[in-house]
Amino acid sequence: MSDGTGSDFGLGTTDALAAAPVSGGAMRSARRGKDRGGRGRGWGPVAKLRRLGIGASWPAKVSWVFLIAIVLVALVGPLLISADPVRQTSSAMLPFGSPGHLLGTDDLGRDELARLVHGARPLLFVAFASTALAAVIGTGVGLLAGYAGGVVEQVLMRVVDLALAFPSILLVILLVAAAGPGTTSLVVGVGVSLAPGLARLARALAARETARDYIVAARLGGTRTPRVLVQEILPNIAGPMVAQVVMTLSVAAGFAAGLSYLGLGIQPPTPDWGYMVQAGQEFLYSAPRLVVLPATLTLLFVVACNFVGDDLRDALDPKGTV
């Protein structure tokens, strides 16, 4: 459906075309092709990412590599590590480079490398699942509020404002404590607590798109509301939303690790980076690796998600609407 944007704001023909919703990535590709002077042509996946502007800076490149590596470790790492991460042995507190234990063992004789590799999966599962839940709830509420307006918008956004009035970490702790510790309650608690922030962004973007001519034409043409929301508005706000969701992933990972540290998250004996920090703090001076390794991996994952989110925002939202 064509979009005659710009007329609502009194823009000329050239300005109206510049203000039109991005469709198919044509404007983004043209802009980045001009900036690079025609470089980056190719048919491979790397060339396609370059044409989109993804991974343009060195921090972004390193963050993408680290994030993909962590996901691969979580998926296939446990299949490649033969050591049992929960099996206790008499070989306690072995140092780095010990035979059969590359990163040593903890106070109960459990292989530290195996625990780090196996501990990535629960943390990433909670982070990704809770972020997906927050994205579905937040985007749905924001889309409906921004499109409907009026009383519907006021009611929905007042509920969102009420949720935002509580500190996110406090809201997560309350929800998880009420449901009891465990993976399911952790996913639901983190997802619900992060949804209001995404709802506010989705509402602002949806309200902007609803005022454009192509949405007005769709409504006057009798297009049903679900179709307008999903096929017309959602594709044009997907760029900023995807970038914000990736940044939300870092917050979800931090919450998951923090709650596991407090004993409200993933329960032992399942290895988890947050719980490993809590269990190893007793030996912070005698064996700092038990704390430094899982804490550093968690920190790097959070930082990488933020850099990747910034990179996606620049690539998918060249107009800077976020």
Side-chain angles (χ1 to χ4, degrees), residues 65-89:
V65 171
F66 180 81
L67 199 58
I68 294 173
I70 288 294
V71 173
L72 290 177
V73 167
L75 293 177
V76 304
L79 302 177
L80 303 178
I81 300 295
S82 58
D84 189 344
V86 299
R87 180 174 176 269
Q88 302 179 17
T89 67

Side-chain angles (χ1 to χ4, degrees), residues 115 119-127 169 172-173 176 181-187 190 251-268 270-281 294 298:
R115 290 183 63 77
R121 182 177 292 181
L123 179 67
L124 265 63
F125 171 78
V126 172
I169 185 62
V172 174
I173 292 176
V176 174
T183 302
T184 302
S185 60
L186 189 59
V187 169
V190 174
V251 182
F255 280 171
L259 289 173
S260 293
Y261 175 84
L262 296 175
L264 295 175
I266 299 168
Q267 298 297 297
T270 302
D272 173 76
W273 291 350
Y275 174 75
M276 290 173 66
V277 173
Q278 189 273 338
Q281 66 181 2
T298 304

